[in-house]
Amino acid sequence: MQHFDGNLLAGPLAEVFAFDPTTARARCNGCGAVAELATALVYRSGAGSVARCRGCGAVLLSLVEGDGRRFVNFTGTGAIEITTAGRDDA
Amino acid sequence: MSFITRGFTGRSRERDDRLPPGQTLVHDFPVLSAGPTPEVDTADWEFTIRTEHGGRRWSWDEFMQLEIEDVTTDIHCVTHWSKLGTNWRGVSLDTLFAEVETEYDYVMAHSYGGYTTNVPLEELLGGRAWVAFEFDGEPLDPEHGGPARLLVPHLYFWKSAKWVRGLELMPTDDPGFWEQNGYHLHGDPWKEERYW
Ligand SMILES: [Zn+2]
C-alpha cells in the first residue's frame, strides 16, 4: 500500500483544528454519550485542565499549558463532530 | 494568579538554596485538582500493593498499627511554586515494602477517583516516600488528598498522588495520567524535568 507523510493532512487538519470548541460535539469513550464539548465539566488542577463527561465523569480531554508549551490529549473521546461555519458540502 | 509572585524575594536578596531552579516560594497551599474530590471514609479505605506474586492489603486500622513517622520536607509544584518545611505524618514506603516481594522496578500509583502516576520503585525507597495521612498536625483534608496521599517530595508534587489507594508494580516505566498528557516521565525539580 502506498502511503504519504503527515504533510498531506496539513490543509484539512488546519481547517479542522480551527473549530469552535463550544459547538463541537464529541463522543465519550466512557459511556458513549455524544454531547457538545461546552457541556463537559472542567476541572483545573495546578498541572492542567481536565474536561469530564457530564454523564459518566470519564475524562474526555486534558490540556496542559506551561512555559510557553501546550499539550492537548483527546484521550477519552471518539470522533469529534466539527461544524464548519458557512460551508455546505451537501 | 497571585500565588506565583507572592514570596518572591527580589534580586537584592539572596536566593534560598532550598529552592530548585525556576521555583518561587509560597506560604499558602494551592488546592486544585483534575477531578471531583472523592469522599472516602476510613472505614472503607484500604491500601494495596499489587505485584507479580499477588500482593498485600491493609485496612485503615491495620495501617495505623504500622510504624508512623513525622516528616518535615520541602515540596515543589511543577507550576513553579515551592513550599518549605511542610509537616506530615505517615507510613514510610520502606515499611510497606518490607512485607512485599517483587522483581519489578517500576510502580504505578492508583488513586480513588482514577488518577494514576508512575515512579521508579527505587525512588520510593530509602526514606524518600510515604503514605501521609496528616498535614500540620491535622488529618489530611479531602481537598489535600485525604484520607491519605502519597508523599514523594523529591519529585514534582504531581507525583504525590492524592487519595492514594494502592501501588501496582510494573516491569516497565509506563506513564501515569499527567505523564501521558505532557508531563515528564520522571519529574525531578532539580533538573527541571517538567514536560516531555
Ligand atoms: Zn461519558
Side-chain angles (χ1 to χ4, degrees):
Chain A
M1 265 286 274
Q2 190 185 5
H3 63 269
F4 304 90
D5 74 29
N7 289 312
L8 193 73
L9 295 173
L13 281 187
E15 202 172 301
V16 154
F17 277 118
F19 68 91
D20 176 358
T22 59
T23 57
R25 304 198 319 148
R27 185 176 189 279
C28 170
N29 283 343
C31 69
V34 175
E36 292 180 353
L37 279 176
T39 67
L41 301 173
V42 175
Y43 294 86
R44 298 206 58 164
S45 112
S49 299
V50 173
R52 290 174 177 271
C53 172
R54 185 171 289 271
C56 75
V59 174
L60 294 172
L61 66 90
S62 69
L63 177 64
V64 168
E65 296 175 279
D67 299 349
R69 299 174 66 184
R70 282 182 187 167
F71 304 82
V72 63
N73 188 347
F74 288 93
T75 180
T77 64
I80 299 174
E81 178 187 358
I82 287 137
T83 38
T84 315
R87 201 172 138 178
D88 189 359
D89 287 326
Chain B
M1 283 189 277
S2 63
F3 64 78
I4 299 291
T5 50
R6 198 177 309 157
F8 182 64
T9 52
R11 282 184 186 173
S12 58
R13 286 168 59 185
E14 223 163 272
R15 191 180 162 80
D16 194 315
D17 62 10
R18 292 173 294 176
L19 270 186
Q23 299 293 106
T24 44
L25 276 180
V26 293
H27 299 289
D28 54 359
F29 197 155
V31 274
L32 292 156
S33 106
T37 299
E39 297 292 333
V40 185
D41 197 288
T42 53
D44 305 320
W45 184 90
E46 58 178 28
F47 188 84
T48 59
I49 296 181
R50 248 184 317 138
T51 72
E52 69 275 31
H53 307 300
R56 184 79 171 80
R57 180 188 307 261
W58 295 266
S59 68
W60 184 263
D61 289 340
E62 288 166 338
F63 210 77
M64 293 301 125
Q65 300 306 309
L66 299 170
E67 185 187 348
I68 291 167
E69 299 181 10
D70 289 298
V71 183
T72 299
T73 187
D74 305 336
I75 55 178
H76 310 291
C77 180
V78 70
T79 54
H80 298 275
W81 60 262
S82 290
K83 198 169 161 64
L84 303 180
T86 58
N87 297 305
W88 306 81
R89 287 195 102 197
V91 173
S92 169
L93 291 203
D94 294 308
T95 303
L96 300 176
F97 275 96
E99 303 184 31
V100 171
E101 296 251 343
T102 182
E103 302 302 314
Y104 290 168
D105 290 329
Y106 301 97
V107 173
M108 187 71 79
H110 293 266
S111 294
Y112 290 100
Y115 181 76
T116 56
T117 190
N118 59 297
V119 186
L121 175 57
E122 189 186 14
E123 304 218 15
L124 295 177
L125 303 177
R128 293 194 291 171
W130 297 265
V131 173
F133 49 82
E134 282 186 21
F135 175 74
D136 262 350
E138 301 286 336
L140 204 51
D141 281 338
E143 293 75 36
H144 284 300
R149 77 181 297 159
L150 199 59
L151 179 64
V152 195
H154 73 283
L155 299 177
Y156 281 125
F157 211 46
W158 89 78
K159 296 286 188 181
S160 293
K162 296 199 270 193
W163 314 299
V164 70
R165 65 173 171 81
L167 305 176
E168 174 194 3
L169 277 294
M170 309 184 288
T172 55
D173 197 10
D174 298 340
F177 180 78
W178 286 121
E179 295 84 0
Q180 289 173 47
N181 292 333
Y183 284 97
H184 198 279
L185 204 57
H186 182 228
D188 182 342
W190 296 96
K191 297 179 185 163
E192 286 205 77
E193 294 173 338
R194 298 178 195 273
Y195 306 101
W196 294 346

